[in-house]
Amino acid sequence: MIIATAGHVDHGKTSLVKQLTGVDTDRLPEEKKRGMSIDLGFAYKKINNQNNIGYVDVPGHENFIQNMISGLAGVNFVLLVIAADDGPKTQTFEHLEIINLLGIKNGAVAITKIDKVDEKKIVELESKLKVILKETSLSKAPIFRISSLKKNGIQELQKFLEDKALNQKNKDISGGFRLAVDRKFFLNGIGLIVTGSVLSGKVNIDDKLLISPKNLKARVKTIHSNSRNAKTGISGQRCALNLQVQKNSKDLIRRGDWLISEFINNPSKCVDAIISVSSFLHKSLKNWSRVNMHVGTAKIICRVVILESRELFPGKKGLVQLKLEKETSLVFGDRFILRDQS
């Protein structure tokens, strides 16, 4: 099971992941210096010989919302984190709306920093959160009281997450392999490594894949799945793949690319879609609006052509055509987020 954190900056997401896994996901020097997550962080918790939980720790600051959305690619469980002394803030609501629009229904809520407030304030916050969550995809999510400092509630949350991981249904691994690339790096003596969450299908050692939309050919040399060497990577797992590619193409691979089976490669700059306009917006979405499209781990500027009217109002759905400034490889059923450029 892959779990992504969500929530406002400085509400204790990284500290909570460290308590659950023993891993500090803030790996960049700038993150250490500023005391906040900037890029995606990753950690794993071994349950038994067959099962691990993978954690994707996302940044909470509004400047890094693209990294946050990238962290949700392929995720099947969300841990929404809210500080007891601060309550729900701007990015709490934006992250929750993104989770809701992406249709992620499995999750839990962690009220952190409970050591900083009294019982009355915690009870009031729990009541407030139940009202906020009622109309979202996380309406049935349980709420846990957490103090990372005093380690309160950690064992209860840990057991809940492990039970969820052990009881989840096996993912359908039929169809083409698709991985949304979120990191690329090089290891001495090994070569090119790309990492990401597997959205569909499976991959084996020696499989031939394409890096789309750049149409670069790659062969899988080794697979690291759920923090251990493996012969196969499947849908629902985080994987690191050691790839053999042409020398002149190594530097072309970026976050936002897709690593896919050759037979499903169909990059396009035009996408037909049904979109829902957030009810939190205070204005309608106009025809030919210029927006950022967040899909997989990519951000692509596009224009929205509204097909059934001249505008879509908050809370409404509509059929649109998206005119993208660069190609991407999508399939039927993919979910994405559109954000106003302002």
Side-chain angles (χ1 to χ4, degrees), residues 232-270:
T232 301
I234 64 173
S235 177
Q237 294 180 339
R238 277 199 57 79
C239 288
L241 304 181
N242 177 205
L243 299 180
Q244 180 183 49
V245 296
Q246 292 182 342
K247 287 185 178 180
N248 58 0
S249 64
K250 289 182 179 180
D251 294 328
L252 298 178
I253 302 167
R254 297 281 187 274
R255 173 181 290 178
D257 289 338
W258 295 93
L259 187 61
I260 61 177
S261 299
E262 292 183 89
F263 72 90
I264 58 171
N265 185 41
N266 188 28
S268 175
K269 287 186 176 182
C270 186

Coordinates of all heavy atoms in Angstrom, one line a residue, residues 232-270:
T232 N 9.7 -8.4 -10.3 CA 8.6 -7.8 -11.0 C 8.1 -6.6 -10.1 O 8.2 -6.6 -8.9 CB 7.4 -8.9 -11.0 OG1 7.8 -10.0 -11.8 CG2 6.2 -8.3 -11.7
G233 N 7.6 -5.6 -10.8 CA 6.9 -4.5 -10.2 C 5.5 -4.5 -10.7 O 5.2 -4.7 -11.9
I234 N 4.5 -4.2 -9.8 CA 3.1 -4.3 -10.2 C 2.4 -3.1 -9.8 O 2.8 -2.3 -8.9 CB 2.4 -5.6 -9.6 CG1 2.4 -5.5 -8.1 CG2 3.1 -6.8 -10.1 CD1 1.6 -6.6 -7.5
S235 N 1.2 -2.9 -10.3 CA 0.3 -1.8 -10.0 C 0.1 -1.7 -8.5 O -0.1 -2.7 -7.8 CB -1.1 -2.0 -10.7 OG -2.0 -1.0 -10.4
G236 N 0.2 -0.4 -8.0 CA 0.0 -0.2 -6.6 C 1.3 -0.2 -5.8 O 1.2 0.1 -4.6
Q237 N 2.4 -0.4 -6.4 CA 3.7 -0.4 -5.7 C 4.5 0.9 -6.2 O 4.3 1.4 -7.2 CB 4.5 -1.6 -6.1 CG 3.9 -2.9 -5.6 CD 4.8 -4.1 -5.9 OE1 5.6 -4.0 -6.9 NE2 4.6 -5.2 -5.2
R238 N 5.4 1.3 -5.3 CA 6.4 2.2 -5.7 C 7.6 1.4 -6.2 O 8.0 0.4 -5.6 CB 6.9 3.1 -4.6 CG 5.9 4.3 -4.4 CD 6.6 5.4 -3.6 NE 7.8 5.9 -4.2 CZ 7.9 6.7 -5.2 NH1 6.8 7.2 -5.8 NH2 9.1 7.1 -5.7
C239 N 8.2 1.8 -7.3 CA 9.3 1.1 -7.9 C 10.5 2.0 -8.3 O 10.2 3.2 -8.7 CB 8.9 0.4 -9.2 SG 7.8 -1.1 -8.9
A240 N 11.7 1.5 -8.2 CA 12.8 2.1 -8.8 C 13.4 1.2 -9.8 O 13.7 0.0 -9.5 CB 13.9 2.4 -7.7
L241 N 13.5 1.7 -11.0 CA 13.9 0.8 -12.2 C 15.2 1.3 -12.7 O 15.4 2.5 -13.0 CB 12.9 0.9 -13.3 CG 11.4 0.5 -12.9 CD1 10.5 0.6 -14.2 CD2 11.3 -0.9 -12.3
N242 N 16.2 0.4 -12.8 CA 17.5 0.6 -13.4 C 17.3 0.4 -14.9 O 17.0 -0.7 -15.3 CB 18.5 -0.3 -12.8 CG 19.9 -0.2 -13.4 OD1 20.7 -1.1 -13.4 ND2 20.2 1.0 -14.0
L243 N 17.4 1.5 -15.7 CA 17.1 1.4 -17.1 C 18.4 1.5 -18.0 O 19.3 2.2 -17.6 CB 16.2 2.6 -17.5 CG 14.8 2.7 -16.8 CD1 14.1 3.9 -17.4 CD2 14.1 1.4 -17.1
Q244 N 18.4 0.8 -19.1 CA 19.4 0.9 -20.1 C 18.7 1.7 -21.2 O 17.7 1.3 -21.8 CB 19.8 -0.5 -20.6 CG 20.9 -0.4 -21.7 CD 21.2 -1.8 -22.3 OE1 20.3 -2.6 -22.6 NE2 22.5 -2.1 -22.3
V245 N 19.3 2.9 -21.5 CA 18.8 3.7 -22.6 C 20.0 4.2 -23.4 O 21.2 4.0 -23.1 CB 18.1 5.0 -22.0 CG1 16.8 4.6 -21.3 CG2 19.0 5.8 -21.2
Q246 N 19.7 4.8 -24.6 CA 20.8 5.3 -25.4 C 21.5 6.5 -24.6 O 20.9 7.3 -23.9 CB 20.3 5.9 -26.7 CG 19.8 4.8 -27.6 CD 19.2 5.3 -29.0 OE1 19.0 6.5 -29.1 NE2 19.2 4.4 -30.0
K247 N 22.8 6.5 -24.8 CA 23.6 7.5 -24.0 C 23.1 9.0 -24.2 O 23.1 9.7 -23.3 CB 25.1 7.4 -24.4 CG 25.8 6.2 -23.9 CD 27.3 6.2 -24.2 CE 28.0 5.0 -23.6 NZ 29.4 5.0 -23.9
N248 N 22.7 9.3 -25.4 CA 22.3 10.7 -25.7 C 20.9 11.0 -25.2 O 20.5 12.1 -25.3 CB 22.4 11.0 -27.2 CG 21.6 10.1 -28.0 OD1 20.9 9.2 -27.5 ND2 21.6 10.3 -29.3
S249 N 20.2 10.0 -24.6 CA 18.9 10.3 -24.1 C 18.8 10.3 -22.6 O 17.7 10.7 -22.1 CB 17.9 9.2 -24.7 OG 18.2 7.9 -24.1
K250 N 19.8 10.0 -21.9 CA 19.8 10.0 -20.4 C 19.3 11.3 -19.8 O 18.6 11.3 -18.8 CB 21.1 9.6 -19.8 CG 21.5 8.1 -20.1 CD 22.8 7.8 -19.4 CE 23.2 6.3 -19.7 NZ 24.5 5.9 -19.0
D251 N 19.9 12.4 -20.3 CA 19.6 13.7 -19.7 C 18.2 14.3 -20.2 O 17.8 15.3 -19.7 CB 20.7 14.7 -20.1 CG 22.0 14.3 -19.4 OD1 22.0 13.7 -18.3 OD2 23.1 14.6 -20.1
L252 N 17.5 13.6 -21.1 CA 16.2 14.1 -21.5 C 15.1 13.7 -20.6 O 14.0 14.2 -20.7 CB 16.0 13.5 -23.0 CG 17.0 13.9 -24.1 CD1 16.6 13.3 -25.4 CD2 17.0 15.5 -24.2
I253 N 15.3 12.7 -19.8 CA 14.2 12.2 -18.9 C 14.0 13.1 -17.7 O 14.9 13.6 -17.1 CB 14.6 10.8 -18.4 CG1 14.9 9.8 -19.6 CG2 13.5 10.2 -17.5 CD1 15.5 8.5 -19.2
R254 N 12.7 13.4 -17.5 CA 12.4 14.4 -16.4 C 11.2 13.9 -15.6 O 10.4 13.0 -16.1 CB 12.0 15.7 -17.1 CG 13.1 16.4 -17.9 CD 14.0 17.1 -16.9 NE 15.0 17.9 -17.7 CZ 16.1 17.5 -18.2 NH1 16.4 16.2 -18.0 NH2 16.9 18.3 -18.8
R255 N 11.0 14.5 -14.4 CA 9.7 14.3 -13.7 C 8.6 14.7 -14.6 O 8.7 15.8 -15.3 CB 9.7 15.1 -12.4 CG 8.3 15.0 -11.7 CD 8.3 15.8 -10.4 NE 9.1 15.2 -9.4 CZ 9.3 15.8 -8.2 NH1 8.8 16.9 -7.9 NH2 10.1 15.1 -7.3
G256 N 7.5 14.0 -14.7 CA 6.4 14.3 -15.6 C 6.3 13.4 -16.8 O 5.3 13.2 -17.4
D257 N 7.5 12.7 -17.1 CA 7.4 11.7 -18.1 C 6.7 10.4 -17.7 O 6.5 10.2 -16.5 CB 8.9 11.3 -18.6 CG 9.6 12.4 -19.3 OD1 8.9 13.3 -19.9 OD2 10.8 12.4 -19.3
W258 N 6.2 9.6 -18.6 CA 5.6 8.3 -18.4 C 6.6 7.2 -18.8 O 7.2 7.3 -19.9 CB 4.3 8.2 -19.1 CG 3.2 9.1 -18.7 CD1 3.0 10.3 -19.3 CD2 2.3 8.9 -17.7 NE1 1.9 10.9 -18.6 CE2 1.5 10.1 -17.6 CE3 2.1 7.9 -16.7 CZ2 0.4 10.2 -16.7 CZ3 1.0 8.1 -15.8 CH2 0.2 9.2 -15.8
L259 N 6.7 6.2 -18.1 CA 7.4 5.0 -18.5 C 6.3 3.9 -18.7 O 5.6 3.5 -17.8 CB 8.4 4.5 -17.4 CG 9.3 3.4 -17.7 CD1 10.2 3.7 -18.9 CD2 10.2 3.0 -16.5
I260 N 6.2 3.5 -20.0 CA 5.0 2.7 -20.3 C 5.3 1.6 -21.3 O 6.4 1.6 -21.9 CB 3.9 3.6 -21.0 CG1 4.5 4.2 -22.3 CG2 3.4 4.7 -20.0 CD1 3.5 5.1 -23.0
S261 N 4.4 0.6 -21.4 CA 4.5 -0.4 -22.4 C 4.3 0.2 -23.8 O 3.5 1.2 -23.9 CB 3.4 -1.5 -22.2 OG 3.5 -2.1 -20.9
E262 N 5.1 -0.3 -24.7 CA 5.1 0.3 -26.1 C 3.7 0.4 -26.7 O 3.3 1.3 -27.4 CB 6.0 -0.5 -27.0 CG 7.5 -0.3 -26.6 CD 8.4 -1.0 -27.6 OE1 8.8 -0.4 -28.6 OE2 8.7 -2.2 -27.4
F263 N 2.8 -0.7 -26.5 CA 1.6 -0.7 -27.2 C 0.5 0.3 -26.8 O -0.5 0.4 -27.4 CB 1.0 -2.2 -27.2 CG 0.5 -2.6 -25.8 CD1 -0.9 -2.4 -25.5 CD2 1.3 -3.2 -24.9 CE1 -1.4 -2.8 -24.3 CE2 0.8 -3.6 -23.7 CZ -0.5 -3.4 -23.4
I264 N 0.8 0.9 -25.6 CA -0.2 1.9 -25.2 C 0.3 3.4 -25.4 O -0.3 4.3 -24.9 CB -0.6 1.7 -23.7 CG1 0.6 1.8 -22.8 CG2 -1.4 0.4 -23.5 CD1 0.2 1.8 -21.3
N265 N 1.4 3.5 -26.1 CA 1.9 4.8 -26.3 C 1.1 5.6 -27.3 O 1.0 5.2 -28.5 CB 3.4 4.7 -26.8 CG 4.0 6.1 -26.9 OD1 3.8 7.0 -26.1 ND2 4.8 6.3 -28.0
N266 N 0.4 6.7 -26.9 CA -0.4 7.4 -27.8 C -0.4 8.9 -27.4 O -1.4 9.5 -27.0 CB -1.8 6.9 -27.9 CG -2.7 7.6 -28.9 OD1 -2.2 8.0 -29.9 ND2 -4.0 7.6 -28.7
P267 N 0.8 9.6 -27.4 CA 0.9 10.9 -26.9 C 0.0 11.9 -27.8 O -0.1 11.7 -29.0 CB 2.3 11.3 -27.1 CG 2.9 10.3 -28.1 CD 2.0 9.1 -28.0
S268 N -0.5 12.9 -27.1 CA -1.4 13.8 -27.8 C -1.4 15.2 -27.1 O -1.1 15.3 -25.9 CB -2.9 13.3 -27.8 OG -3.7 14.2 -28.4
K269 N -1.7 16.2 -27.9 CA -1.9 17.6 -27.3 C -3.4 18.0 -27.2 O -3.7 19.1 -26.8 CB -1.2 18.6 -28.2 CG 0.3 18.6 -28.2 CD 0.8 19.8 -29.0 CE 2.3 19.8 -28.9 NZ 2.8 21.0 -29.7
C270 N -4.3 17.0 -27.4 CA -5.7 17.3 -27.3 C -6.4 16.2 -26.5 O -6.2 15.0 -26.8 CB -6.3 17.3 -28.7 SG -8.0 17.8 -28.7

